[in-house]
Amino acid sequence: QVQLVESGGGLVQPGGSLRLSCAASGFTFSRSVMNWYRQAPGKERELVATINSSGGRTNYRDSVRGRFTISRDNAKNTVYLQMNSLKPEDTAVYYCNAKGFNFSFGYDYWGQGTQVTVSS
């Protein structure tokens, strides 16, 4: 079965740091684009960061660029999101996402989410 399991969320103070992890199984992780999305209460889900299959290319939404870093370890089937200088507006449920295309089919998998709360 396909699984994406996020961990590492929690409560932190403004200016603090967290590292989220997403452990993947049940598909070819090393050939998948991996993404982190987030969704705050009352808002639409938004893309936070993306990383290509090899890890050589990344991109970020403007509001997190310079503070967040996405990375992956294909040997461990794990993608990470290092979040520094956290702000209250970063509070959201963070979701791990995998996208790929096989030639005959595409896939789009989601984790269950992990809560990040930034508050004094």
Side-chain angles (χ1 to χ4, degrees):
Q1 71 280 21
V2 171
Q3 286 191 295
L4 295 172
V5 181
E6 300 98 331
S7 61
L11 174 65
V12 295
Q13 292 188 296
S17 297
L18 284 174
R19 189 178 77 156
L20 306 184
S21 298
C22 172
S25 60
F27 65 100
T28 306
F29 177 86
S30 62
R31 292 174 34 151
S32 299
V33 173
M34 299 300 298
N35 309 290
W36 286 97
Y37 286 78
R38 67 186 181 188
Q39 188 167 27
K43 298 186 66 178
E44 287 195 44
R45 190 171 299 189
E46 62 185 18
L47 179 65
V48 177
T50 187
I51 188 166
N52 74 337
S53 59
S54 69
R57 295 185 180 186
T58 61
N59 209 352
Y60 304 88
R61 71 180 304 106
D62 289 345
S63 62
V64 309
R65 189 174 292 111
R67 299 188 297 121
F68 290 12
T69 303
I70 188 171
S71 61
R72 68 194 296 160
D73 186 341
N74 285 348
K76 296 182 177 180
N77 283 9
T78 302
V79 63
Y80 306 94
L81 186 67
Q82 179 67 46
M83 304 185 293
N84 299 326
S85 301
L86 282 161
K87 304 175 180 180
E89 50 263 47
D90 296 317
T91 295
V93 177
Y94 284 71
Y95 296 91
C96 180
N97 167 254
K99 289 185 171 66
F101 189 76
N102 180 269
F103 178 68
S104 58
F105 79 102
Y107 54 86
D108 188 2
Y109 303 134
W110 294 87
Q112 82 290 345
T114 186
Q115 177 71 47
V116 172
T117 302
V118 185
S119 176
S120 299

